[in-house]
Amino acid sequence: MNAQILNRYCWQLPLLALLGLSLLPDLPWWHPVIGYWPLWLLAMPVTALARSLMMVRRTVPAAPVSQVLVFPTARKHAGDESRKAA
């Protein structure tokens, strides 16, 4: 997994979970142990957004084009030598 895919997962999956959990009508937004749980789910996308803004977009130089010349040669089969020797 490269950094770009990880960055996508970091913001897409928590937002999808937040969307799915917000559709449950009886789920309270405040939990007695962790507090306001949507903030915990939004922390990851905000971090991913900050990371993507800080990442320097480097342009990768293209590979130089190389030409290869192939000249046909006469093929010698290994079986030809054994037939001549016999």
Side-chain angles (χ1 to χ4, degrees):
M1 177 182 315
N2 62 18
Q4 187 178 17
I5 294 172
L6 178 65
N7 198 17
R8 282 188 201 145
Y9 283 155
C10 283
W11 71 267
Q12 287 177 349
L13 293 179
L15 285 181
L16 185 63
L18 181 64
L19 177 66
L21 290 172
S22 66
L23 294 175
L24 296 174
D26 294 336
L27 185 66
W29 289 66
W30 177 263
H31 190 272
V33 176
I34 60 172
Y36 193 62
W37 59 266
L39 287 179
W40 290 98
L41 282 177
L42 287 175
M44 185 77 97
V46 169
T47 305
L49 176 66
R51 184 172 176 236
S52 68
L53 292 176
M54 288 181 192
M55 286 175 46
V56 176
R57 305 268 182 202
R58 289 183 285 170
T59 57
V60 178
V65 177
S66 61
Q67 294 180 344
V68 178
L69 299 176
V70 179
F71 298 102
T73 59
R75 293 186 180 180
K76 290 187 178 180
H77 295 288
D80 293 343
E81 295 175 3
S82 62
R83 287 185 205 155
K84 291 178 184 177

